[in-house]
């Protein structure tokens, strides 16, 4: 079965392409390469044995999307393509609303026109803000978004919920990702941040590789055991496999209309300092870091209640935080030697 993966050359998208292929699906990539690199396709070829079919186009273009859905006889869509920089979203709100919401509207409308039913939407744990109760459950209240980026995820979820409330023929699910890290264990694909990384683990690996000066740990005075923030770090391959399980669930669901939302995390909380210590242990050398001010918009602590996805989809994360850091480090080192 052919599955369209928008943003399939990106970090989570490319790993999901591998997981789909392993599960016997035939992934088709739609990616405009605005925040991804064509060399990811070569990495996919090394892992999968072939370059997946791909379209270097934008998924806000309805004509393009309809053509691909028909020509490729698509059975389901996993929608990753979106802008994702929290900081940039505050500077360029319309860029984010335009791209992240229009792509979803174009996709859902085109899918319904083409009578294609199964859609998985990339949402984010950022919709919880600082959840009042931890671990965060899917029915926790959703506060006003802390960023434009986060708001595009909240609105995206609402769009899909409202389509289901109107009993349209579309089965969809939103997956709320916690903190994806790591890389494929082959080190043929991984995260390729543009410029200075915003996220912790790529900054750590680039610092250890000598590409960045010291890491700044944003805040050491949080009300946590060691004063640094707590997050739920999940291996990107676990996250990728969750998409395959969710897709199979949608395909087997015995109705034309469905919507639900699931957390994708490990259920475990690790502090920023725990990540640094584990990474130092893996790399065998001290990491250069210093403590700085808190970063605006960061929540103190966020980790997932994973019982809903375990109960309904039978999925749980299989890999450890340490394995994820080992794979991220192997990937970073492979970049230094030309991939
Ligand atoms: N951190 C540092 N130094 C850095 C980068 C991060 O100390 O250079 C800390 C952050 O302060 C935070 C933790 O590491 O405490 C994790 O930060 P990340 O940026 O890696 O991840 P976030 O939890 O901030 O990001 C998550 C998702 C994003 C989402 C964001 C919303 O990965 O997609 O929440 O705030 F947008």
């Amino acid at each position: 079965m052919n599955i369209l993966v928008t943003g399939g050359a990106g970090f989570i998208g490319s790993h999901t392409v591998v997981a789909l292929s392993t599960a016997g699906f035939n992934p088709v990539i739609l990616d405009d390469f605005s925040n991804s690199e064509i060399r990811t396709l070569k990495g996919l070829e090394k892992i999968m044995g072939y370059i997946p079919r791909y379209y270097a186009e934008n998924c806000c273009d309805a004509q393009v999307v309809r053509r691909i859905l028909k020509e490729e006889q698509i059975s389901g869509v996993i929608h990753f393509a979106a802008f994702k920089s929290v900081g940039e979203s505050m500077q360029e709100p319309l860029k984010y609303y335009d791209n992240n919401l229009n792509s979803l509207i174009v996709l859902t409308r085109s899918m319904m026109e083409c009578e294609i039913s199964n859609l998985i939407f990339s949402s984010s744990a950022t919709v919880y803000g600082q959840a009042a109760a931890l671990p965060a459950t899917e029915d926790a209240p959703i506060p006003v978004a802390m960023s434009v980026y986060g708001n595009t995820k909240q609105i995206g979820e609402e769009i899909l919920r409202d389509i289901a409330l109107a009993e349209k023929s579309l089965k969809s699910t939103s997956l709320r990702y916690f903190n994806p890290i790591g890389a494929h264990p082959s080190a043929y694909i991984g995260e390729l941040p543009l410029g200075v990384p915003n996220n912790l683990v790529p900054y750590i690996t680039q610092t250890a590789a000598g590409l960045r000066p010291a890491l700044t740990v944003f805040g050491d005075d949080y009300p946590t055991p060691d004063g640094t923030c707590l997050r739920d770090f999940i291996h990107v391959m676990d996250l990728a496999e969750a998409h395959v399980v969710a897709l199979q669930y949608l395909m087997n669901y015995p109705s034309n209309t469905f919507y639900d939302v699931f957390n994708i995390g490990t259920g475990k909380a690790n502090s920023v300092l725990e990540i640094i210590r584990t990474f130092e242990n893996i790399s065998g050398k001290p990491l250069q870091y210093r403590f700085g001010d808190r970063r605006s918009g960061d929540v103190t602590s966020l980790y997932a209640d994973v019982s809903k996805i375990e109960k309904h989809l039978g999925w749980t994360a299989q890999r450890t935080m340490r394995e994820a850091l080992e794979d991220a480090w192997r990937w970073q080192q492979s970049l230094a030697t030309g991939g």
Side-chain angles (χ1 to χ4, degrees):
M1 262 186 284
N2 298 347
I3 307 300
L4 184 65
V5 185
T6 78
F11 175 42
I12 307 173
S14 59
H15 291 79
T16 301
V17 165
V18 172
L20 283 167
S21 170
T22 303
F25 290 101
N26 180 28
V28 178
I29 293 174
L30 168 58
D31 196 307
D32 67 1
F33 295 94
S34 59
N35 191 17
S36 56
E37 294 185 25
I38 205 94
R39 68 167 142 163
T40 299
L41 300 175
K42 297 211 172 78
L44 288 172
E45 183 183 23
K46 286 187 190 156
I47 297 169
M48 293 160 50
Y50 65 96
I51 295 187
R53 294 180 62 76
Y54 72 96
Y55 293 83
E57 314 244 28
N58 188 292
C59 69
C60 293
D61 186 329
Q63 278 186 341
V64 164
V65 169
R66 272 198 294 267
R67 177 168 54 81
I68 297 172
L69 290 177
K70 285 183 189 149
E71 278 180 8
E72 296 287 349
Q73 301 186 343
I74 295 297
S75 302
V77 178
I78 306 183
H79 179 42
F80 295 104
F83 294 143
K84 62 173 186 179
S85 161
V86 173
E88 189 193 39
S89 78
M90 304 306 284
Q91 305 298 320
E92 301 290 343
L94 285 180
K95 176 176 168 180
Y96 275 66
Y97 286 122
D98 186 15
N99 184 61
N100 292 8
L101 298 181
N102 275 324
S103 58
L104 183 63
I105 292 167
V106 163
L107 260 181
T108 47
R109 193 177 272 150
S110 306
M111 287 176 71
M112 287 187 280
E113 280 168 13
C114 297
E115 298 183 0
I116 297 166
S117 187
N118 308 298
L119 172 65
I120 296 180
F121 174 62
S122 289
S123 188
S124 167
T126 192
V127 301
Y128 293 118
Q130 177 55 73
L134 289 169
T137 54
E138 287 85 347
D139 56 6
I142 302 300
V144 172
M146 290 163 72
S147 70
V148 171
Y149 162 77
N151 207 25
T152 67
K153 295 301 178 189
Q154 289 191 11
I155 298 170
E157 289 193 4
E158 288 168 2
I159 289 172
L160 296 179
R161 186 203 59 201
D162 290 342
I163 290 172
L165 284 174
E167 296 185 10
K168 300 292 182 196
S169 283
L170 187 76
K171 294 189 274 188
S172 71
T173 179
S174 297
L175 302 184
R176 292 179 180 158
Y177 311 152
F178 282 71
N179 288 60
I181 60 169
H184 191 269
S186 66
Y188 290 136
I189 56 171
E191 197 165 2
L192 284 169
L194 272 189
V196 182
N198 289 318
N199 297 115
L200 178 65
V201 170
Y203 204 105
I204 287 176
T205 59
Q206 290 194 9
T207 302
L211 302 173
R212 303 274 163 214
L215 167 80
T216 302
V217 174
F218 298 133
D220 62 353
D221 58 350
Y222 283 98
T224 59
D226 65 20
T228 65
C229 295
L230 295 172
R231 293 289 185 275
D232 184 335
F233 294 94
I234 176 168
H235 195 298
V236 66
M237 283 309 300
D238 275 327
L239 180 58
E241 288 163 4
H243 289 75
V244 176
V245 172
L247 181 69
Q248 288 164 332
Y249 181 82
L250 287 182
M251 288 179 157
N252 293 328
Y253 192 79
S255 161
N256 291 334
T257 302
F258 177 82
Y259 176 68
D260 209 348
V261 43
F262 295 100
N263 286 339
I264 313 284
T266 65
K268 298 186 181 70
N270 285 112
S271 72
V272 173
L273 276 179
E274 283 173 330
I275 296 291
I276 293 172
R277 299 279 173 259
T278 306
F279 183 81
E280 287 178 325
N281 187 270
I282 290 166
S283 69
K285 55 184 181 187
L287 184 81
Q288 300 300 313
Y289 70 91
R290 62 176 189 86
F291 291 108
D293 292 340
R294 291 182 178 194
R295 182 171 67 176
S296 143
D298 276 346
V299 295
T300 302
S301 181
L302 190 58
Y303 51 97
D305 183 305
V306 290
S307 51
K308 183 175 175 185
I309 188 162
E310 185 171 6
K311 181 171 169 218
H312 292 266
L313 273 61
W315 175 89
T316 49
Q318 300 297 314
R319 298 159 179 89
T320 62
M321 174 268 279
R322 185 184 174 91
E323 278 174 84
L325 291 176
E326 284 168 352
D327 289 337
W329 183 223
R330 192 177 305 114
W331 162 245
Q332 182 67 57
Q333 289 172 301
S334 85
L335 287 176
T337 57

